[in-house]
Amino acid sequence: VRLTVQSTPVDAEIIEQRNKWITCLLLCWFLGVFGVHRFYTGHTALGVVQLLTFGGCGIWTVIDFIIIVSGNLKDAEGNPIKNV
């Protein structure tokens, strides 16, 4: 007998939020000096500034990485990007 587990909207929302956090974290780690994680979150102006300054010579990238890990980064709409 196979049992199917139906996911609730809350489960799907948690999975989507976790995927956004992981994606943002990996973008910051690998492409942070180009500001790609800022473009991903919708902060295009900050992304352009980080692109032109190579992530503030890497300083902004480290700071953004710490902010992402701590769960305090928000997207352009004000929604938190955090690991749930």
Side-chain angles (χ1 to χ4, degrees):
V1 174
R2 290 187 182 182
L3 296 175
T4 59
V5 178
Q6 294 192 8
S7 63
T8 62
V10 175
D11 293 338
E13 184 178 320
I14 289 172
I15 291 170
E16 181 182 349
Q17 192 172 20
R18 182 173 293 150
N19 288 342
K20 284 183 181 180
W21 181 80
I22 290 171
T23 303
C24 190
L25 186 73
L26 291 174
L27 286 173
C28 183
W29 181 257
F30 291 110
L31 300 170
V33 293
F34 303 115
V36 175
H37 60 287
R38 288 295 186 169
F39 288 110
Y40 177 72
T41 58
H43 299 287
T44 54
L46 285 173
V48 169
V49 171
Q50 285 189 358
L51 178 65
L52 295 175
T53 62
F54 294 109
C57 295
I59 296 171
W60 281 351
T61 303
V62 172
I63 292 171
D64 283 348
F65 187 79
I66 293 169
I67 291 171
I68 293 168
V69 169
S70 67
N72 292 326
L73 185 70
K74 295 184 179 183
D75 64 6
E77 297 173 354
N79 300 321
I81 297 177
K82 60 182 177 180
N83 189 10
V84 179

